[in-house]
Amino acid sequence: MTVHSSIVHATVHIPEGRQSVAAVEDRFREGSPAVTLSRGVLQRMYGLAERTVAPDHDQPSDLAVHAARRLLADTGTDPADVDLLLYAGILADMEEPATAHVVADKLGLGCPVLDLKNACNGVLNALEVADAFIRGGRYRRVLVTTAEVSTRESRWEVDDPADILSALPSLSTGDMGSALLVEASGRPGIVGSRFFANSWGWRAATLPNPYAQHRRLGHLRIDSQQLVDSFEGLPDKVRGALKEIGVESDDLDLVCVHQPSVPFTRVVCGWVGVDPARILATFPAHGNVATNTIPLQLATALGNGRLRRGDLVGMFGFASGASAGVVVCRW
């Protein structure tokens, strides 16, 4: 019998902390008195209303564990039945060991684990890896987890006014944890995935490793125009990949795209050929939650009835690096 993989469930942990766009701007002005920041600029430029903020003591593993515990409870899955745990977050508890070990320990898992990282496309890549492992017969049940505490990377202190545009995106990030369960199935669930890269564009968005910088904390810097430029040619490849999988955008019952801002979400919708009105907007109320963006859309759609068993789902990611990918699944 041919073995397929299927995404069984998706959950998120949304921290209770909230920071309004006005509060974000006020704190930036306090830390950067030499830089003029007009009121409401974050909402006008990015569409941000407020962002989610995790408690100071919570590590990425804590947020991932909260989401994973909910998923295991929702699906009635015994932790002993999980064959592999993947952690796909950008941010980690520590450099060594893999954060996946910390997540597994807190969940009481005894299975193999590994970290998998590719900027905001980490979860999509993790789904591709889980699918390959399951179809290859190596594992039958894979738990994909991720989490970000990106608000801690906000650049509150900017001395040079010329640096403000590269700092503003860091003020629109949000904190969250997510989990997805992928299982072996007799019917096609994940029906196709494709990924592409323009690695020459890696300089457009960077968060330096403090250990590689002689223990000096790095700053998140994003050149928005350079980032958009780094996706040159990738939208065509993604649209071609969708056709190669045998799907048209109009066939999709639910479309999920990575949402680093409202304007960029509209750009991505144009790239993949879908009406922005079909997208569940998550950015305005949460901020850019990075690897959590697509799991958040899945969990939201499950919660409000937009996603039902048998629906065809298209998940599209465009992330710094630059990389682009699409995963199509039958729910």
Side-chain angles (χ1 to χ4, degrees), residues 84-88 98-101 111-117 129 133 139 143 145:
L84 175 70
L85 180 138
L86 303 176
Y87 176 79
T99 296
H101 285 293
C111 63
V113 306
L114 63 94
D115 281 5
L116 188 157
K117 181 181 292 189
V129 169
F133 274 138
Y139 303 107
L143 178 59
T145 62

Side-chain angles (χ1 to χ4, degrees), residues 19 24 27-28 51-54 56 58-60 90-93 95 117 147-158 166-175 206-211 216-222 288 290:
Q19 190 174 38
V24 173
R27 181 170 175 185
F28 180 82
R51 63 182 189 165
T52 53
V53 182
D56 291 342
D58 272 1
Q59 293 298 309
I90 298 169
L91 300 180
D93 283 26
E95 287 297 298
K117 181 181 292 189
E148 308 294 354
V149 287
S150 307
T151 60
R152 299 173 193 175
E153 307 300 330
S154 298
R155 290 176 58 192
W156 301 116
E157 300 177 3
V158 175
S166 69
L168 286 182
S170 75
L171 306 182
S172 66
T173 57
D175 304 335
T206 59
L207 177 62
N209 185 326
Y211 297 97
R216 289 186 292 106
L217 182 62
H219 294 296
L220 178 61
R221 294 178 179 273
I222 298 178
N288 179 5

Side-chain angles (χ1 to χ4, degrees), residues 47-123:
L48 182 68
E50 63 177 3
R51 63 182 189 165
T52 53
V53 182
D56 291 342
H57 60 270
D58 272 1
Q59 293 298 309
S61 64
D62 294 310
L63 303 186
V65 165
H66 288 319
R69 281 180 177 150
R70 183 173 302 155
L71 182 146
L72 295 175
D74 286 352
T75 58
T77 302
D78 188 325
D81 292 333
V82 175
D83 299 317
L84 175 70
L85 180 138
L86 303 176
Y87 176 79
I90 298 169
L91 300 180
D93 283 26
M94 56 193 74
E95 287 297 298
E96 186 179 347
T99 296
H101 285 293
V102 186
V103 173
D105 179 51
K106 291 176 179 178
L107 290 173
L109 304 185
C111 63
V113 306
L114 63 94
D115 281 5
L116 188 157
K117 181 181 292 189
N118 187 20
C120 295
N121 274 342
V123 164

Side-chain angles (χ1 to χ4, degrees), residues 193-228:
S193 61
R194 302 287 188 279
F195 289 88
F196 311 96
N198 284 342
S199 296
W200 51 261
W202 70 267
R203 295 172 182 81
T206 59
L207 177 62
N209 185 326
Y211 297 97
Q213 301 290 321
H214 306 290
R215 302 189 72 83
R216 289 186 292 106
L217 182 62
H219 294 296
L220 178 61
R221 294 178 179 273
I222 298 178
D223 184 322
S224 297
Q225 186 57 56
Q226 187 178 4
L227 182 58
V228 171

Side-chain angles (χ1 to χ4, degrees), residues 11 29 43 60 97 114 126 153 194 199 221 247 249 253 299 313:
T11 57
R29 292 188 191 95
Q43 184 149 29
L114 63 94
E153 307 300 330
R194 302 287 188 279
S199 296
R221 294 178 179 273
V247 174
S249 59
D253 298 297
V313 181

